[in-house]
Amino acid sequence: MPIHLLSPDLISKIAAGEVVERPNSVVKELVENSLDAGASQISIEVRGGGVNFIRVSDNGTGIPGDEAELAFDRHATSKITSLADLENAKSLGFRGEALPSIAHVAQVELVTRSREEVSGTYLSLQDGKATERGVRAHPQGTTVTVRNLFRHVPARLKFLKSSTTENSHITNLVSHYSLAFPGVRFGLVIDGRPILHTPGSGKVRDVMAEIYGLQIAQAMLKIEKTAKEGGLTPAVSGYVSPPSLSRASRSYLSFFVNQRWIQSPLLARAVERAYEGLLGVGRYPIAVINLSPLPQSVDVNVHPTKREIRFSQEPVVFNTVYGTVRRTLMDKMPLPEVELSHQPASVSAPGQQAPEVPVGEEKRSFSLPLVPPKAPPSGIPILRVLGQVARAYVIAEGPDGLYLIDQHAAHERVLFEKILGQQAKEGVESQSLLEPLTIELSLRQEELLRARQEILSRFGFVIEPFGERTYLLRAVPAMLAGQGMEEPVKEALDSLEDDANPAEREEKLAASLACHGAIRAGQILSQEEMRELVKQMEKATSPRTCPHGRPTIVHLSSGRLEREFGRM
Ligand code: ADP
Ligand code: MG
């Protein structure tokens, strides 16, 4: 639609904000305009931290000559007309404030040509007013040049950090737009140095390779969840790092809502929760996640610069993101590769540098999924059991070398899934004790026992009051029978402590029971028992980790063996 002034009524409904805070905000507004104009190529050039010079050039729709001046009027926009438009706004801008605000604090030049026109329009502005207009050749699209930012606003200039800081903000910003719009070719040049250049291939992985490096880009795991009918659950897509690629700060978490880069403590918490048990203390994952909720379920107007948004259903959004990431990690995490202490010389061929170890690489390393893994994406390959090592690990041969299975962790996983399956159906198989066992509970445990009767009986416990703080244990989940039972029961109660939701509570209780029911390290297993364990693991939904997130299986590939023995 043509550029027009918004009605005063609609203006009052759009939270106004100071748009131009720093050079970075100019870049942001200009790039958003280019994206809104449907550009497939956007070049950004910055000098002197953006204070001296910012130029953004695009091949978008361009602005018709007779609308060029209007674009610099306050509340002039081509993007919405009515409140209904606002609610469905897909564009990044819609307030009609950016160009006038920028023109107010800097010298601005606009050169633009729309498709219908044969020649381009040139417009120069000082202090927000057009001072020169003319005709100038320009390919279809728009180039906006901003010079001497804040020259007349010394207070602002004074508060600006060094140009290095501004440059890093701008680089960060353009990186995020590149991630959100992988189909657009972005070029960023700072003080004459090319900083970023994305191919515009439409693949987020290609953009990640530019920003994070090839090795990380290849290792990232794809996440995908389609939206549910009814519209509350957002569609989630993007990439998350395998646990081997952790970082020491949260700054590698990038979130987008409908391709708009946002800050969201809620989403950060959801992702971090998904890595619970998988990362060390103070380590954070890398994530690039886009949510596509229905426009009605988010309010982008909360923050004037639109970096914060509000979801109408926060718990739904949290659980969807948490669940999608967690599932992906459990299913797709590459099997950990056995790390050998010395690197044979032949690992990297001459002239072919071994990839740099990413910062913060954990001690255990994971093989990169450069070749499609032979195992089904969520499972483990078919294995032939060879024997037991150190009374703790099952050693097996598979399609690509050697596999070591932690017998306790693996059995924990198998039991965990079995318990969850049983409790959802007819309840966990229970076994009555020949002699009821007297147990003494703490006050807190007593309370939990009362409050969580239902879940406890569904999980196979029969516990009766017997006196002050004393209880009779009459039946336990069958997998616990025949061992010291007091501790497992108390721990099961303690696991119900948190005010978690029912599903989380079930998982915690199941994990606690699985841990106590599972075969221990130190237990000698017969060939038959080991084969049975491996068979059950092959059937498990997420066999690669125990319920606490530790690996159940590690891999020593045939290639690695050959290299170690100097066969290649
Ligand atoms: P808004 O983006 O909120 O509409 P702006 O002040 O940023 O407000 O821009 C005003 C109008 O100028 C836009 O609505 C659009 O019609 C036009 N415009 C600005 N930049 C471009 C561009 N790069 N390509 C095409 N049109 C543009
Ligand atoms: Mg705009």
Side-chain angles (χ1 to χ4, degrees):
M1 68 179 90
I3 303 181
H4 58 276
L5 291 177
L6 291 173
S7 71
D9 176 51
L10 185 50
I11 290 172
S12 69
K13 295 205 167 62
I14 305 177
E18 182 130 15
V19 188
V20 187
E21 237 172 59
R22 57 200 308 167
N24 191 32
S25 1
V26 174
V27 176
K28 171 181 186 289
E29 294 296 336
L30 296 181
V31 168
E32 289 193 348
N33 280 347
S34 298
L35 290 166
D36 283 346
S40 62
Q41 205 168 326
I42 303 176
S43 312
I44 301 132
E45 195 190 336
V46 170
R47 285 184 227 147
V51 175
N52 298 352
F53 182 95
I54 296 172
R55 173 173 286 164
V56 175
S57 226
D58 69 53
N59 64 350
T61 54
I63 303 175
D66 56 355
E67 291 177 21
E69 272 99 345
L70 193 50
F72 289 90
D73 269 4
R74 248 188 186 310
H75 302 302
T77 182
S78 58
K79 299 169 191 174
I80 61 167
T81 335
S82 64
L83 195 57
D85 286 351
L86 174 62
E87 273 163 10
N88 291 301
K90 285 242 160 58
S91 56
L92 295 161
F94 47 73
R95 294 184 180 85
E97 284 186 327
L99 291 184
S101 308
I102 295 168
H104 210 76
V105 290
Q107 270 168 269
V108 175
E109 261 177 34
L110 168 79
V111 188
T112 184
R113 183 168 72 80
S114 67
R115 197 155 64 115
E116 297 73 29
E117 295 169 307
V118 283
S119 57
T121 306
Y122 165 79
L123 194 65
S124 172
L125 298 101
Q126 293 278 7
D127 300 321
K129 287 182 204 67
T131 52
E132 217 187 315
R133 189 196 157 95
V135 174
R136 192 173 288 184
H138 193 277
Q140 187 196 317
T142 303
T143 299
V144 178
T145 310
V146 176
R147 289 190 178 86
N148 299 325
L149 184 63
F150 301 138
R151 173 68 54 87
H152 303 301
V153 199
R156 268 264 186 264
L157 262 189
K158 211 170 79 194
F159 280 105
L160 284 185
K161 299 269 164 39
S162 66
S163 52
T164 322
T165 309
E166 292 306 318
N167 288 345
S168 84
H169 281 300
I170 293 169
T171 306
N172 195 26
L173 179 89
V174 177
S175 303
H176 280 92
Y177 280 110
S178 318
L179 287 169
F181 293 85
V184 176
R185 287 178 61 170
F186 282 89
L188 172 64
V189 173
I190 296 183
D191 293 324
R193 276 180 304 129
I195 299 292
L196 186 78
H197 188 88
T198 66
S201 64
K203 297 197 182 95
V204 178
R205 231 186 254 281
D206 290 344
V207 182
M208 290 193 297
E210 273 295 315
I211 296 171
Y212 300 131
L214 193 59
Q215 197 184 15
I216 289 181
Q218 282 172 330
M220 295 288 280
L221 308 172
K222 193 173 164 65
I223 61 168
E224 184 93 69
K225 184 173 168 62
T226 45
K228 275 234 187 71
E229 289 293 313
L232 275 183
T233 327
V236 181
S237 66
Y239 291 85
V240 295
S241 54
S244 56
L245 284 179
S246 67
R247 286 290 178 272
S249 95
R250 286 195 175 87
S251 57
Y252 292 82
L253 298 177
S254 304
F255 300 110
F256 306 88
V257 166
N258 295 327
Q259 295 184 295
R260 189 192 292 276
W261 179 31
I262 58 148
Q263 303 288 26
S264 171
L266 176 83
L267 296 180
R269 276 201 309 279
V271 171
E272 282 169 35
R273 173 74 75 79
Y275 283 80
E276 209 166 73
L278 299 176
L279 296 180
V281 180
R283 306 299 303 181
Y284 302 91
I286 307 170
V288 175
I289 296 178
N290 185 56
L291 303 191
S292 328
L294 284 181
Q296 298 91 289
S297 54
V298 297
D299 177 2
V300 288
N301 262 313
V302 174
H303 197 268
T305 52
K306 300 173 281 187
R307 288 292 314 279
E308 280 167 26
I309 62 156
R310 196 159 50 205
F311 297 101
S312 53
Q313 294 285 339
E314 293 207 334
V316 175
V317 171
F318 181 95
N319 284 331
T320 310
V321 171
Y322 163 77
T324 309
V325 176
R326 184 77 185 176
R327 184 82 290 177
T328 303
L329 290 174
M330 293 298 113
D331 287 357
K332 294 203 202 158
M333 223 160 50
L335 296 183
E337 273 274 356
V338 175
E339 177 102 5
L340 300 173
S341 56
H342 66 99
Q343 290 279 338
S346 60
V347 160
S348 55
Q352 192 193 338
Q353 281 287 59
E356 204 181 301
V357 176
V359 192
E361 177 82 304
E362 303 275 292
K363 255 205 239 85
R364 33 177 217 182
S365 77
F366 291 78
S367 60
L368 295 180
L370 291 172
V371 247
K374 297 219 173 62
S378 62
I380 58 165
I382 305 286
L383 300 174
R384 184 170 72 89
V385 170
L386 302 175
Q388 193 183 22
V389 183
R391 297 182 179 183
Y393 310 103
V394 175
I395 182 165
E397 187 192 5
D400 180 28
L402 204 65
Y403 297 78
L404 281 165
I405 295 161
D406 182 311
Q407 64 191 43
H408 174 69
H411 197 211
E412 249 186 316
R413 161 56 65 184
V414 167
L415 289 181
F416 175 72
E417 291 192 7
K418 187 168 156 192
I419 296 166
L420 283 180
Q422 285 183 352
Q423 65 87 26
K425 289 183 207 142
E426 69 278 8
V428 176
E429 193 188 335
S430 177
Q431 180 158 336
S432 305
L433 306 183
L434 289 176
E435 285 278 329
L437 187 73
T438 324
I439 51 173
E440 205 177 312
L441 299 180
S442 72
L443 264 182
R444 185 79 196 112
Q445 288 166 338
E446 269 192 311
E447 253 174 66
L448 287 165
L449 181 61
R450 265 194 298 278
R452 306 275 183 249
Q453 258 316 323
E454 187 275 330
I455 184 172
L456 285 164
S457 69
R458 188 151 34 94
F459 275 73
F461 288 100
V462 179
I463 307 174
E464 290 170 0
F466 189 57
E468 205 177 320
R469 300 252 192 104
T470 316
Y471 291 80
L472 276 188
L473 186 60
R474 292 204 173 273
V476 294
M479 71 195 58
L480 289 185
Q483 37 182 317
M485 256 161 310
E486 184 157 349
E487 268 321 293
V489 171
K490 288 183 174 174
E491 268 190 36
L493 281 169
D494 291 338
S495 78
L496 297 172
E497 173 104 33
D498 291 341
D499 50 347
N501 62 39
E504 260 178 63
R505 226 178 273 143
E506 283 160 8
E507 288 198 3
K508 277 186 142 184
L509 184 52
S512 166
L513 297 183
C515 180
H516 285 286
I519 40 176
R520 326 237 124 236
Q523 207 167 318
I524 298 175
L525 300 181
S526 69
Q527 201 73 11
E528 193 43 54
E529 287 169 320
M530 288 188 280
R531 270 202 295 270
E532 185 54 33
L533 176 61
V534 168
K535 209 164 89 194
Q536 292 185 15
M537 270 189 73
E538 286 164 4
K539 284 194 219 137
T541 321
S542 304
R544 294 164 170 214
T545 53
C546 81
H548 313 290
R550 284 189 296 276
T552 55
I553 178 165
V554 298
H555 177 205
L556 182 56
S557 67
S558 307
R560 189 62 195 258
L561 284 170
E562 279 177 8
R563 286 198 298 272
E564 287 296 325
F565 288 108
R567 289 176 169 273
M568 63 180 267

